[in-house]
Amino acid sequence: MSHVVVGYDGTSESERALRWAVEEARLRRLPLTVCHAWQWPYPIEFIDREGVAIVRRMGEHMLDQGVALAHELAPGLKVRKRLDTGGPYLALLNQGPDAELIVVGSHPPEEMSVGSTVLRVAARADIPVAVVRSGSSRDGLVVVGVDGSPGADAALAFAFEEAALRGWRLRAVYGCWEPGAAPDGDLSLFGDEDKLRHVCGCVLERAVAPWLVKYPFVQAVTSLVLRPPREVLLEAAEGATLTVVGSRGAGAVGPLSVGATSDALLKHAPCTTTIVPRRVG
């Protein structure tokens, strides 16, 4: 059965993620799975069975606290709990093929190393990952990045659905001033700004058009800016409640990392950011 997954570890960041996940599950009419991963914090040669049992019970109590909060926030919501051992990112990724969304709390940029849970989950998950940040605007605006790539189309699908579910406005943004953003890799476009604007504008409008038909009640606008995507999206995120981008855009990137623009948003966007893989659903 489809469900929404949220990681909970008792921190204020994970509580914000839990609140966001509860609302997602409620709006999507799906059960919520609250997940916590515990692990013995010492080398294996120092394992103490009584100590391990205590650490496990602490994890169970923490998980129960998260489940209780979820019930308090949405009394009618079906809430399940999942206690795993080992790394938290593996616990989140291993929630089964029926999960529709993973929700995690954010961390300050200096705490987001390559091995951080947030970056590892966002890079490896084959479903959308929402990284909840405390500074999210309450104005109800979804900003979605567009660049003509399959990843951007998946991001548009998620962004329009989210805007429709929550009754929010949507702004589709295309920052096209970098080589990877040029359609078909045509670098000659950068020698003629009017032509670049026309060609990229057509890409943007074609990408958004099907979703305007599918979600006619979503108030949506498009925005083409002749500046690098990272700059444009970070600026747009200042007034957004949610920013949505594909895990990898038009540029080349390894399979175990998100693209440069997605990475920048995860680390520096002031609002919640959802990373969407190319194939969703």
Side-chain angles (χ1 to χ4, degrees):
M1 181 179 183
S2 296
H3 59 124
V4 173
V5 177
V6 61
Y8 184 80
D9 63 7
T11 62
S12 58
E13 292 86 356
S14 70
E15 182 177 324
R16 283 193 292 268
L18 179 65
R19 292 176 181 274
W20 185 281
V22 165
E23 185 66 2
E24 287 283 356
R26 187 187 69 81
L27 290 171
R28 295 170 183 272
R29 299 180 180 180
L30 295 175
L32 175 68
T33 300
V34 183
C35 180
H36 175 72
W38 70 277
Q39 56 187 337
W40 178 247
Y42 304 106
I44 191 169
E45 60 266 27
F46 296 103
I47 282 183
D48 175 270
R49 291 189 178 183
E50 184 176 345
V52 168
I54 291 173
V55 174
R56 180 184 174 87
R57 283 199 300 272
M58 290 171 63
E60 291 173 344
H61 292 326
M62 186 174 296
L63 183 57
D64 288 339
Q65 179 188 61
V67 170
L69 177 57
H71 282 303
E72 179 184 329
L73 293 168
L77 184 66
K78 183 177 180 180
V79 181
R80 303 181 292 200
K81 62 181 180 180
R82 176 69 179 267
L83 184 68
D84 282 339
T85 60
Y89 86 96
L90 285 177
L92 290 168
L93 292 177
N94 293 334
Q95 292 307 308
D98 295 329
E100 286 197 8
L101 176 68
I102 297 173
V103 184
V104 294
S106 66
H107 302 289
E110 62 272 13
E111 295 180 17
M112 280 199 191
S113 63
V114 173
S116 72
T117 297
V118 168
L119 294 182
R120 294 172 87 178
V121 172
R124 292 163 172 77
D126 56 7
I127 60 174
V129 177
V131 180
V132 181
R133 199 174 295 277
S134 61
S136 296
S137 164
R138 299 296 181 186
D139 292 339
L141 173 65
V142 179
V143 168
V144 55
V146 179
D147 62 6
S149 68
D153 193 56
L156 277 165
F158 182 90
F160 267 90
E161 180 185 32
E162 193 76 2
L165 285 170
R166 294 178 178 263
W168 289 349
R169 296 170 293 117
L170 183 142
R171 180 185 174 198
V173 179
Y174 188 177
C176 60
W177 196 257
E178 72 172 26
D184 300 321
D186 186 1
L187 300 184
S188 68
L189 291 172
F190 292 97
D192 185 337
E193 288 192 9
D194 288 338
K195 186 176 180 180
L196 177 66
R197 193 182 300 275
H198 172 73
V199 172
C200 291
C202 289
V203 170
L204 175 59
E205 297 303 325
R206 282 198 302 268
V208 173
W211 306 108
L212 293 174
V213 174
K214 185 173 182 178
Y215 298 99
F217 299 109
V218 172
Q219 184 182 345
V221 297
T222 58
S223 180
L224 177 72
V225 186
L226 302 190
R227 287 167 50 203
R230 274 164 282 185
E231 292 181 14
V232 173
L233 285 167
L234 283 171
E235 183 177 283
E238 292 288 340
T241 313
L242 171 66
T243 302
V244 181
V245 289
S247 57
R248 299 168 186 88
V253 66
L256 297 182
S257 62
V258 295
T261 299
S262 302
D263 181 82
L265 286 163
L266 285 174
K267 293 177 179 176
H268 302 293
C271 64
T272 294
T273 298
T274 296
I275 306 298
V276 184
R278 292 190 181 190
R279 293 187 178 89
V280 179

